[in-house]
Amino acid sequence: MVGTWAAGWAASRRTPPPTKMPWGFFIEVAGNAVETARHVLPEADESLVRRAAASVTAPRTWMKTPAEPEDIEPWLPRGWRTAYEETGHLMAADLTRTNPVAPEGYTTTVETIDSVLHVRVRDAAGGPAAQGQMALLGEAAVADRIVTEEAHRRRGLGRYVMHVLGDHALDAGAHLGVLGATDAGRALYETLGWQKHATIAECVYGG
């Protein structure tokens, strides 16, 4: 599941595909002020974490692995820090059809670009209200960048976007949904039937 999440994130963000490394996956990230690259480790093994961390020389390189952050912090060499504030949650769900209807006053557009579904919701004046995207990877689909604009929150738009993405992913042949959630996002996804499979510890070098 971690590998699926890494591949879907890369497709969604239009980065090069993950490169297989002895400890997991490496993703090059260009044109990002916060992140220059990331290592994604499928398991939190001390020797693998140390090897991955030791290979890094570029500032703002992130490392993500399924573990509690306090468990891997002692394994990090100088120059690395555990980003407790960025701790995530790896979640998954069996996709089911919901046939969602847009809340009154909103319109929706859906398009697929390079195997990535894009859903955009606009208000009556044509302004952006919510959006989300989902990378299609055959039988799996990885949700990403689910955002509701502040002025339009608490109106069910996040739930609606997830349902639209899920229905279109089913139409494309996907059956499993995967995502990496923040604390706030986790609360929404759990109400939609998504289950947490692991905490994602996040560490950064020179950032």
Side-chain angles (χ1 to χ4, degrees), residues 43-118:
E43 58 180 310
D45 176 87
E46 180 176 357
S47 64
L48 297 181
V49 170
R50 289 186 180 277
R51 287 179 67 187
S55 74
V56 173
T57 58
R60 302 190 310 280
T61 295
W62 288 75
M63 181 167 55
K64 301 167 187 269
T65 188
E68 298 299 325
E70 61 270 19
D71 291 340
I72 68 169
E73 189 169 38
W75 304 341
L76 299 175
R78 173 175 290 186
W80 284 87
R81 71 174 178 88
T82 304
Y84 283 91
E85 71 283 1
E86 298 291 339
T87 301
H89 310 278
L90 183 64
M91 306 186 73
D94 292 325
L95 299 176
T96 58
R97 194 167 300 281
T98 57
N99 300 310
V101 177
E104 185 175 355
Y106 293 96
T107 57
T108 309
T109 59
V110 181
E111 62 178 338
T112 302
I113 304 173
D114 295 332
S115 297
V116 179
L117 285 167
H118 295 263

Side-chain angles (χ1 to χ4, degrees), residues 153-199:
R153 292 175 183 170
R154 306 188 192 284
R155 302 182 187 182
L157 292 179
R159 175 185 296 267
Y160 170 71
V161 167
M162 288 297 294
H163 282 163
V164 174
L165 287 169
D167 276 19
H168 280 79
L170 281 168
D171 290 340
H175 300 284
L176 174 68
V178 177
L179 58 80
T182 62
D183 285 338
R186 176 187 175 186
L188 165 65
Y189 304 132
E190 286 182 334
T191 67
L192 300 177
W194 290 65
Q195 295 183 340
K196 175 177 173 174
H197 284 257
T199 298

